[in-house]
Amino acid sequence: MSNEIINIVLGLLYAVGDEGVEIEQLAEIVECTPIQLMDVVNAYHHEIFEIQKLGSKLYLMTNETLNPYLEALVTASSEKKLTQASLETLAIIAYNQPVTRHDIEVMRGVNSDGPVKTLIERGLVRSKEISGERAKQLETTEFFLMTFGLTSLDDLPRDEMMTTDADEMELFFKNLNEKDESNE
């Protein structure tokens, strides 16, 4: 039974690609409980592929054995890196969500329309309307969690001694730079 379930899960996760599938929905499809599903998923081992839980979704991913090849592929592509302004804006949204563009501009001290637009286009941030409010709220997406290898927002780097948003952003960038350096 578990081989049948894992094969169905692999096929579905492959089919949805980087969208992932909610654990609850996947458990319902394969007719088991979320706990049973996670037991099967946790028992799955493959040379190249792994099933990762990020947030409330499962994703089919490659493990670190392909990292050098994936890095070469990504380096060869022409996709631009996020600018410093976009990274600052992303850190503000991640640590303070939901926030409005005005909130971001107050914290950064400059117009942030460009960085916000870039983050929305890249799928790292989404804009949602709140009934009764004119301004739209910005928040990070599941793709943000996946991109930064986080299970939830609780995994964001935090230091109990930090007292300001600037301290949180500095820690975010320090950890991001350390992650980039370790991948080189």
Side-chain angles (χ1 to χ4, degrees):
M1 176 76 173
S2 66
N3 277 345
E4 182 181 341
I5 290 175
I6 199 66
N7 287 335
I8 294 168
V9 168
L10 289 169
L12 293 173
L13 291 177
Y14 175 79
V16 298
D18 62 1
E19 294 290 316
V21 178
E22 292 285 336
I23 294 169
E24 296 282 334
Q25 180 184 14
L26 200 50
E28 189 176 306
I29 290 170
V30 297
E31 299 175 349
C32 67
T33 68
I35 293 171
Q36 290 169 324
L37 174 65
M38 290 309 298
D39 287 344
V40 171
V41 165
N42 290 333
Y44 174 73
H45 295 288
H46 189 272
E47 286 181 40
I48 302 297
F49 298 107
E50 60 186 41
I51 299 172
Q52 285 192 2
K53 177 182 179 266
L54 300 172
S56 61
K57 291 185 176 184
L58 291 177
Y59 297 85
L60 180 63
M61 305 178 106
T62 57
N63 61 30
E64 68 269 354
T65 59
L66 284 184
N67 282 356
Y69 306 103
L70 292 171
E71 287 175 17
L73 181 64
V74 169
T75 302
S77 74
S78 61
E79 187 173 320
K80 299 177 195 174
K81 290 184 176 184
L82 290 174
T83 64
Q84 183 69 26
S86 293
L87 287 172
E88 287 173 8
T89 303
L90 183 58
I92 289 169
I93 295 168
Y95 281 102
N96 300 288
Q97 62 187 300
V99 295
T100 64
R101 288 177 193 239
H102 177 74
D103 296 334
I104 295 166
E105 290 172 4
V106 167
M107 287 183 226
R108 288 193 65 229
V110 295
N111 183 304
S112 298
D113 287 346
V116 167
K117 182 180 177 199
T118 298
L119 295 171
I120 290 172
E121 287 173 354
R122 299 258 180 114
L124 296 168
V125 169
R126 72 174 157 245
S127 175
K128 68 176 186 175
E129 290 190 31
I130 306 295
S131 62
E133 289 188 28
R134 185 171 167 239
K136 293 183 180 179
Q137 299 283 313
L138 298 167
E139 62 186 10
T140 56
T141 62
E142 291 284 330
F143 183 65
F144 165 80
L145 295 174
M146 189 172 83
T147 300
F148 289 94
L150 303 171
T151 303
S152 73
L153 292 173
D154 294 333
D155 294 339
L156 282 170
R158 295 199 186 273
D159 184 348
E160 303 308 319
M161 302 299 288
M162 291 188 302
T163 57
T164 67
D165 292 334
D167 291 337
E168 287 179 342
M169 285 192 298
E170 186 177 321
L171 182 61
F172 177 82
F173 291 125
K174 178 179 177 248
N175 287 335
L176 183 62
N177 288 334
E178 288 172 2
K179 189 174 184 178
D180 284 346
E181 290 170 6
S182 69
N183 289 333
E184 292 176 358

